[in-house]
Amino acid sequence: MSDADLVFQSYGRSCSNAVFFEDFYTIFMGKSSDVSAMFANTNMESQRALLRSGILWLVMHARGLPDTKIRALGESHSKKKMNIKPMYYSLWLDALMETLSRHDPKWTSELEQVWRRTLRPSIDLIQSMYDK
Ligand code: HEM
């Protein structure tokens, strides 16, 4: 099975439980007070639903879908819009890996490496759009 397929299946095993997205934001915001401050006025119920699709866009991009949705994320998170500095994406990815490790019953450290290298190009693209 390809890396992108392994990731797609792992996400399928994990994201059916709505608690997954609650855990993600608890873990992500626990990593930095700057991050939690950014979500101080956010409706987290909507945000959790948005993240469900957002992660799916990254996974589908890895499976060969065009980068339209990834570019839209790059645009919305850029300096001119939400101003999400590139350094925060490593915290985001670490939080995602921690959340997956708790929810995917088939989690292994090898699968974590597959996830990381599979999402890398999409995240690189989003980060590269910060200043544009
Ligand atoms: C909003 C996904 C990384 C902070 C959003 C939205 C999505 C999303 C889908 C809804 C608005 C939109 O479509 O643009 C993602 C994905 C990420 C990521 C897939 C990783 C590749 C980050 C990081 C931060 C962040 C690293 C830094 C703290 C925010 C904030 C909002 C937002 C503050 C707006 C919340 C509000 O409306 O109050 N994100 N995001 N995101 N994201 Fe991200």
Side-chain angles (χ1 to χ4, degrees), residues 18-121:
V19 179
F20 179 89
F21 300 94
E22 287 175 26
D23 285 354
F24 171 83
Y25 280 110
T26 305
I27 294 169
F28 186 35
M29 290 195 223
K31 291 194 178 292
S32 148
S33 50
D34 289 348
V35 171
S36 51
M38 285 182 223
F39 292 103
N41 300 313
T42 302
N43 174 336
M44 290 313 291
E45 202 178 320
S46 321
Q47 188 63 28
R48 289 193 286 269
L50 290 166
L51 183 72
R52 178 186 286 276
S53 328
I55 295 172
L56 194 60
W57 297 339
L58 300 182
V59 173
M60 297 314 281
H61 182 227
R63 294 185 101 206
L65 249 65
D67 60 12
T68 324
K69 297 283 189 188
I70 307 301
R71 289 188 173 278
L73 282 173
E75 173 86 28
S76 68
H77 287 63
S78 70
K79 193 172 182 177
K80 276 188 241 148
K81 302 265 177 87
M82 298 191 310
N83 192 21
I84 307 299
K85 295 198 176 72
M87 65 182 209
Y88 290 118
Y89 290 87
S90 62
L91 292 183
W92 187 95
L93 191 57
D94 288 347
L96 180 63
M97 295 303 107
E98 252 176 86
T99 315
L100 285 163
S101 75
R102 293 185 194 184
H103 287 271
D104 182 353
K106 297 191 178 169
W107 191 251
T108 60
S109 54
E110 289 75 29
L111 185 54
E112 173 167 349
Q113 294 318 309
V114 174
W115 263 100
R116 285 182 180 275
R117 67 172 177 262
T118 302
L119 297 195
R120 191 73 264 160

